[in-house]
Amino acid sequence: MTHSQSILYIGPDSGTCRARRLALGRLGHRVKAVDPFAALPLGSLARSWSFKTGGFGFGALVRSHIAACAGDQAFDLAYIDSGELIDGKTVQMLRRFAPIVVNYNPDNPYVRRDGGRWRAFLGAVAHYDCLFVPRESNVAQAKLAGARRVHRVWFAADDPLRDPDRLPSEEAKKPYLSSISFVGTWMPERGAFLLKLAQAGLPLQIFGPRWNKALEYTALEPLITLGELTPQAYDAAVAAADISIALLSQGNRDQHTTRSMEIPVLGSLLCGQRTPEHLQLYEEGREALFWSDAQECIDHCRQLLTDPARRRRIAQAGRARALRNDHFNESLMSSMLNLALSAQAAPSTRAVA
């Protein structure tokens, strides 16, 4: 168990990044949070430019903002979550405040899905003491990019969801009640897949942003509740579904993702893509259902709709297994912190741990 540490936490104050920061506080660490996006000019144009160029032209602004927020404090460790705006010069500057600088990036900056978004991050890889990645393929990719040490971790759900009394209430779930749902952002491959489910007559509901960009939007529009969801609304939407479809990002080459942990913990039945990592997480047919194509997914859903008792058994077993797996933010952050502090012992090594 790591003793209480003083941590300079640099990451967006939203979504799963914020959840990981709060987990550090629950673990008893003293956390100074800095959102690098607060350094950008106000307005959507700056955010769009940053996404497309990897923060090109914003490096000095980000460094000035972090330095002003950190002041004259000294920290045991600087932890960067994502690192979209953090270039090599910024990592070097952070050593004025902390002897160890590490990064966890839940995205996949080593593929081309997001264009130039990860320009700054990739230029900073070799400057970190340690990188944490959620994909086995990222280990070799990070090493090729110059990483000193790389540790592979699992995605994680948030700890309050362990407690049945902290799950979404029946009232919170009412706007999202569905037999089958997908909760998430549109991506090109997702529209075609979900259209097949809809055309098969399944009672599908879709919740999430950017679905108006789908080529299939006209056909899917009656099934879509469009827009960003707050973390609370996301949890309620997942928990309100009898069956939750788990689609992975092909562009990110995911074999599991955060929703692979969240769906069972929230009490819904996980019906996801069959991958080696999903099969490590859950026993197929007893704790979750998996498919290799749309037709197999359709067949699973049809059977479950006629057998609610089986659906409930699988959902309950899935939640129990997710709790045993212990892939939650506090465990993730504790593990990463222990590994990060060990980086101090061998700062020059470039071996993959």
Side-chain angles (χ1 to χ4, degrees):
M1 177 73 176
T2 302
H3 296 297
S4 178
Q5 302 290 322
S6 177
I7 300 170
L8 178 58
Y9 185 101
I10 300 171
D13 186 25
S14 60
T16 58
C17 296
R18 185 173 187 270
R20 288 187 285 273
R21 173 175 64 80
L22 293 176
L24 283 173
R26 292 195 299 269
L27 289 167
H29 301 295
R30 304 178 306 282
V31 182
K32 174 65 177 180
V34 180
D35 184 347
F37 286 94
L40 302 189
L42 294 177
S44 60
L45 185 60
R47 289 293 184 106
S48 177
W49 172 262
S50 174
F51 188 95
K52 292 176 181 178
T53 67
F56 183 78
F58 292 142
L61 281 175
V62 171
R63 286 189 289 277
S64 177
H65 176 67
I66 293 172
C69 291
D72 59 358
Q73 298 179 70
F75 301 88
D76 296 310
L77 176 140
Y79 171 99
I80 288 78
D81 203 306
S82 179
E84 179 178 335
L85 294 175
I86 308 302
D87 59 17
K89 286 184 179 179
T90 306
V91 175
Q92 291 174 328
M93 182 208 72
L94 289 171
R95 298 193 185 282
R96 289 166 33 195
F97 303 100
I100 305 172
V101 185
V102 302
N103 174 282
Y104 170 60
N105 192 334
D107 274 292
N108 194 343
Y110 308 102
V111 297
R112 297 181 178 180
R113 189 193 74 169
D114 294 335
R117 180 185 181 189
W118 301 109
R119 181 195 60 82
F121 171 86
L122 292 171
V125 164
H127 297 279
Y128 286 106
D129 294 298
C130 186
L131 263 69
F132 298 96
V133 299
R135 299 167 191 82
E136 192 62 40
S137 62
N138 291 161
V139 175
Q141 293 166 325
K143 184 179 179 182
L144 286 172
R148 298 179 182 184
R149 302 178 70 193
V150 187
H151 295 278
R152 189 273 168 119
V153 297
W154 292 85
F155 285 103
D158 208 18
D159 294 80
L161 300 180
R162 293 176 184 267
D163 183 354
D165 293 333
R166 300 286 295 274
L167 296 178
S169 67
E170 294 304 314
E171 187 66 26
K173 291 190 291 187
K174 276 184 180 178
Y176 309 103
L177 290 173
S178 56
S179 297
I180 304 169
S181 80
F182 173 76
V183 184
T185 303
W186 168 81
M187 293 180 188
E189 69 273 10
R190 292 177 174 177
F193 183 92
L194 293 179
L195 181 59
K196 291 179 182 178
L197 271 59
Q199 290 175 334
L202 295 180
L204 174 68
Q205 295 289 316
I206 301 170
F207 303 93
R210 300 183 68 220
W211 282 94
N212 54 313
K213 295 180 177 290
L215 293 175
E216 304 83 6
Y217 183 65
T218 300
L220 290 173
E221 185 176 8
L223 313 178
I224 295 171
T225 300
L226 189 63
E228 295 280 355
L229 282 77
T230 66
Q232 295 78 14
Y234 171 88
D235 288 350
V238 172
D242 294 332
I243 303 165
S244 288
I245 306 299
L247 299 179
L248 304 176
S249 169
Q250 292 182 8
N252 268 356
R253 302 177 186 172
D254 291 334
Q255 289 204 18
H256 82 291
T257 190
T258 305
R259 69 169 52 84
S260 304
M261 317 305 185
E262 293 169 331
I263 288 171
V265 171
L266 283 161
S268 187
L269 185 148
L270 173 66
C271 186
Q273 290 168 263
R274 184 180 290 107
T275 68
E277 290 177 6
H278 270 163
L279 292 171
Q280 281 182 260
L281 289 167
Y282 305 104
E283 182 181 337
E284 183 169 9
R286 197 179 77 82
E287 298 167 338
L289 292 180
F290 300 122
W291 41 263
S292 296
D293 55 34
Q295 187 57 55
E296 189 176 8
C297 180
I298 291 165
D299 292 342
H300 281 321
C301 290
R302 283 175 171 163
Q303 195 282 323
L304 290 169
L305 291 172
T306 66
D307 193 347
R310 179 175 182 246
R311 177 189 57 74
R312 286 191 293 269
R313 285 196 304 271
I314 294 173
Q316 290 165 2
R319 175 171 164 80
R321 176 62 181 272
L323 292 172
R324 292 197 304 275
N325 286 343
D326 195 33
H327 295 308
F328 290 89
N329 281 327
E330 290 178 24
S331 295
L332 171 66
M333 299 309 292
S334 181
S335 174
M336 289 198 293
L337 189 56
N338 285 326
L339 290 165
L341 292 172
S342 74
Q344 197 170 27
S348 64
T349 181
R350 288 187 176 268
V352 174

